[in-house]
Amino acid sequence: MDLLSQISLGLDVALQPVNLLYCFVGVAVGTVIGVIPGVGTLAAMSMLFPLSFLLEPVTGLIMLAGIWYGTTYGGSTTSILLNIPGTPANAVTALDGYPMARQGRGGIALFMTTVASFFGATFGILLVMLFSPAIAAYALEFGPTEYFALMVLGLVAASSISGGSVAKGLAMVTLGIMLGCVGIDLNAGTPRFTFGQPELMDGVSLIALAMAIFGVSEVIMTVRRVKATDIDPETVRLKAMLPSRDDLRRSWFPMLRGSSVGSFFGTLPGTGPAIAAFVAYAIERRLAREPDRFGDGAIEGIMAPETANNAADQTAFIPTLALGIPGSATMALLLGALMIHGIVPGPTLMQDRPELVWGLIMSFWVGNLMLLVLNIPFIGLWVRLLTVPYRLLYPVVLMFICIGVYSFANSAFDVWQLVVLGLMGYAMRVFAFPAAPMLLGFVLGPMMEEHFRRAMILSRGDLMTFVERPISGTIIAVTLVILLASGWSVLRRRRRARAA
Amino acid sequence: MFPTILGTILVVLGLAVAIPAAFRAGGPMDLRRWSPTFVLLGIAAFALVVRPFGLIPATIAVVGLSQLAEREVKPGRMLLLTGFAALLAWGIFGLALGLPMRMLNWPF
């Protein structure tokens, strides 16, 4: 199928009324969640996750994806008006966005970041449309050995690049894969790690795990800490939002550069929109003729990161859709939703289910257009949401989490898992163990094991096969380089800290 | 074989985290007592109640108990929010989505 017919197939799917409706639900929920600090993207996605099983797979995916890129739109609002980033990806936006708001240019900042977000997303979607099919076609040649190596690379990169302790990140990936082993061994039929509990035969519940380590632990950490804030409604009037010609002129190049930077970092495992936004900001600052303006309300300083994070949101779908290898916990959750519907992600997905892949991709256009419309006139409304105190919010969030986990299989045991895993999630927060690598490992683990076993059968149990086959050998070499480089940077950081 | 390999990797990584930490001064631990207790108790109460009594009592259990995690507890406000949450749960999951689960039940 050529690109044009795929696009029209995708549009057919994305424009069906039910998909339009759930796309709207996704982006609206995403915007709200992005605006409210203390409820993260992943918590929001896992809350609506069970709802996606009542829907057709493509409809559910469209909704979940909408939440993901919707939060990045909404998150900039709080960065600008309150100096509190709604999501980590919007943190840099606060550097220049908040000063703009204090100078009375908050409305312009909000308007322009929405435009920037749309621009970045458009750029990212175009890349997804162009590159995913080519990469998937190439990956069709891969055997189990190459696949296993690729997954190892993805997991190692995702857990060691993102910052923090490398050993802790890798340990969480490994623990996640082990949690994925719980249940009936698909090849031998023996129960593993079930401790005689028949309920554990089906394995650990993905929804309980995701909600526990992202939702419950987040609530525990945030209770008693955030306070509601007052905002002057004057700054968000529609009239105060129109940018000057100078603002527009200054924004073009930052948007273009932000899109490229964001698209690049979006595709890499472990980097994602937060790092993309940070790098885009740093580049603008270095290129600026008057770098002193930065940090003091420079419009370039909000345009570049806001384009970059939205471009990264979209290009993160390239490895996820083309290879079935998620680069972040959010993408892992999306693939998890697919797998629960019995759809195996991987390079064949684009051939076997073009309506699903292209329907999802085309829904990005729809969703981003909706966000553009949602954001500009309704900014005042979103801002009012900020005045809802957290003490009213979190019990309701917990209720949604509980009902979500329970409703998936009508199983009280899954809710008990939520209690145990929630305690674990809280302990992970306290001891600074990252949660995202764990979810990645959990989702990829069973697929990895499958590929590992097949590779072992093909090579008659010779582990050297991973190094000897050229493609997989190269991938393993790259993995080792990443490991050594990140290990080295940790050592260097420590030595510098000791010297200081 | 696969879990054994994983276990071995995990032991090595565990040592890599633990051994350097023993030679380093650490800050005080930010461990909270009551927030995790009440949040998790609330979820546990939901798990206990939802099968025998139905969704609405379970909602009341989780929303009611988890509010005790807040610093100051005002009974009136608590009741109001709990009631609102129960209505919300019934409205969304019972009326709008029509999930196949019992809303209210008396098992005795």
Side-chain angles (χ1 to χ4, degrees):
Chain A
M1 251 199 313
D2 62 300
L3 194 61
L4 272 179
S5 60
Q6 284 165 328
I7 290 173
S8 74
L9 172 71
L11 270 179
D12 273 352
V13 177
L15 293 179
Q16 280 165 18
V18 58
N19 292 338
L20 283 177
L21 173 71
Y22 281 98
C23 186
F24 178 77
V25 170
V27 296
V29 168
T31 312
V32 172
I33 295 293
V35 170
I36 299 172
V39 186
T41 316
L42 273 157
M45 281 177 69
S46 33
M47 271 181 345
L48 288 197
F49 199 60
L51 176 60
S52 74
F53 304 128
L54 303 175
L55 308 171
E56 286 289 299
V58 65
T59 314
L61 273 189
I62 286 175
M63 180 185 72
L64 290 175
I67 301 176
W68 155 245
Y69 53 80
T71 46
T72 318
Y73 272 80
S76 58
T77 311
T78 46
S79 279
I80 292 168
L81 292 179
L82 298 172
N83 207 12
I84 308 168
T87 70
N90 305 105
V92 211
T93 311
L95 291 181
D96 275 286
Y98 185 59
M100 278 183 81
R102 301 196 58 179
Q103 292 157 15
R105 283 158 48 80
I108 297 174
L110 290 172
F111 178 85
M112 289 304 282
T113 48
T114 306
V115 174
S117 300
F118 186 75
F119 188 93
T122 308
F123 195 90
I125 302 169
L126 283 175
L127 290 182
V128 174
M129 290 166 64
L130 286 175
F131 284 107
S132 308
I135 293 174
Y138 181 68
L140 281 176
E141 321 260 307
F142 285 8
T145 322
E146 285 75 24
Y147 247 93
F148 178 78
L150 207 57
M151 287 178 173
V152 172
L153 171 66
L155 287 178
V156 166
S159 52
S160 54
I161 294 176
S162 55
S165 160
V166 179
K168 280 180 174 173
L170 290 172
M172 291 326 277
V173 164
T174 319
L175 198 60
I177 304 175
M178 283 188 99
L179 279 177
C181 289
V182 175
I184 296 275
D185 177 345
L186 283 180
N187 290 58
T190 39
R192 296 190 294 190
F193 302 118
T194 58
F195 303 100
Q197 294 284 325
E199 283 100 336
L200 275 177
M201 295 277 207
D202 295 330
V204 173
S205 151
L206 168 66
I207 308 164
L209 180 71
M211 295 215 200
I213 58 180
F214 293 105
V216 175
S217 67
E218 180 136 342
V219 167
I220 296 177
M221 292 304 282
T222 326
V223 171
R224 296 190 189 185
R225 291 220 172 138
V226 275
K227 290 197 183 100
T229 16
D230 298 317
I231 312 144
D232 181 14
E234 285 299 306
T235 53
V236 290
R237 283 255 179 92
L238 211 53
K239 237 188 270 170
M241 285 184 183
L242 290 179
S244 68
R245 194 167 291 170
D246 183 55
D247 290 331
L248 288 177
R249 186 180 55 80
R250 285 180 188 277
S251 299
W252 276 110
F253 284 106
M255 287 208 297
L256 282 172
R257 283 188 289 259
S259 304
S260 333
V261 170
S263 303
F264 175 71
F265 282 103
T267 52
L268 299 185
T271 50
I275 292 178
F278 190 79
V279 174
Y281 184 82
I283 289 179
E284 280 318 308
R285 206 180 162 155
R286 182 143 313 167
L287 289 177
R289 258 183 237 140
E290 316 133 86
D292 296 341
R293 287 176 50 247
F294 279 76
D296 211 23
I299 195 155
E300 297 94 320
I302 59 170
M303 298 309 276
E306 280 300 314
T307 356
N309 59 24
N310 284 278
D313 276 355
Q314 302 298 345
T315 53
F317 282 96
I318 294 178
T320 312
L321 291 177
L323 301 173
I325 299 183
S328 66
T330 351
M331 291 296 125
L333 209 57
L334 278 175
L335 285 190
L338 269 185
M339 291 196 275
I340 290 178
H341 276 292
I343 298 166
V344 185
T348 48
L349 186 68
M350 296 198 101
Q351 281 185 344
D352 298 347
R353 305 292 300 262
E355 85 291 350
L356 188 135
V357 175
W358 288 97
L360 178 64
I361 294 176
M362 295 321 286
S363 84
F364 297 162
W365 291 113
V366 179
N368 276 290
L369 271 174
M370 284 179 178
L371 281 165
L372 199 60
V373 176
L374 264 180
N375 263 278
I376 293 173
F378 290 114
I379 283 172
L381 184 71
W382 303 136
V383 167
R384 213 150 300 147
L385 272 176
L386 280 169
T387 49
V388 177
Y390 197 66
R391 66 178 160 74
L392 295 182
L393 217 56
Y394 81 87
V396 179
V397 168
L398 283 176
M399 172 193 91
F400 275 110
I401 289 177
C402 285
I403 299 179
V405 169
Y406 176 73
S407 66
F408 173 56
N410 274 346
S411 144
F413 183 78
D414 286 354
V415 187
W416 285 111
Q417 289 188 40
L418 185 64
V419 177
V420 176
L421 296 169
L423 187 63
M424 181 189 76
Y426 174 61
M428 281 158 56
R429 285 281 181 109
V430 171
F431 297 107
F433 281 90
M438 183 178 220
L439 194 68
L440 271 178
F442 181 77
V443 170
L444 278 185
M447 279 195 276
M448 265 179 100
E449 182 175 5
E450 191 59 38
H451 286 302
F452 180 75
R453 285 196 176 166
R454 274 193 223 149
M456 283 299 98
I457 291 168
L458 288 177
S459 74
R460 291 161 210 267
D462 184 9
L463 279 172
M464 290 309 283
T465 178
F466 294 112
V467 192
E468 279 163 357
R469 292 174 63 105
I471 298 180
S472 117
T474 318
I475 299 171
I476 295 286
V478 174
T479 312
L480 281 178
V481 169
I482 292 177
L483 262 184
L484 290 176
S486 51
W488 188 67
S489 81
V490 169
L491 279 183
R492 206 177 46 167
R493 220 183 307 153
R494 259 187 215 154
R495 203 166 297 160
R496 206 179 290 161
R498 207 169 293 161
Chain B
M1 174 179 184
F2 199 68
T4 320
I5 302 176
L6 292 173
T8 318
I9 298 174
L10 204 54
V11 168
V12 173
L13 288 170
L15 290 175
V17 174
I19 293 176
F23 295 96
R24 213 176 32 228
M29 218 164 44
D30 180 25
L31 203 59
R32 318 177 74 188
R33 221 171 298 142
W34 297 116
S35 318
T37 309
F38 283 114
V39 167
L40 294 174
L41 264 183
I43 300 172
F46 182 95
L48 274 180
V49 171
V50 69
R51 278 261 126 184
F53 295 98
L55 190 75
I56 292 173
T59 305
I60 293 172
V62 62
V63 176
L65 269 172
S66 66
Q67 282 181 81
L68 297 174
E70 196 53 57
R71 202 185 306 274
E72 44 179 324
V73 180
K74 291 183 182 159
R77 235 166 40 183
M78 248 181 79
L79 278 177
L80 213 64
L81 181 63
T82 312
F84 167 75
L87 267 178
L88 191 71
W90 176 68
I92 295 179
F93 297 98
L95 286 185
L97 294 176
L99 289 192
M101 53 171 88
R102 277 187 301 233
M103 292 289 129
L104 254 179
N105 190 46
W106 185 248
F108 306 111

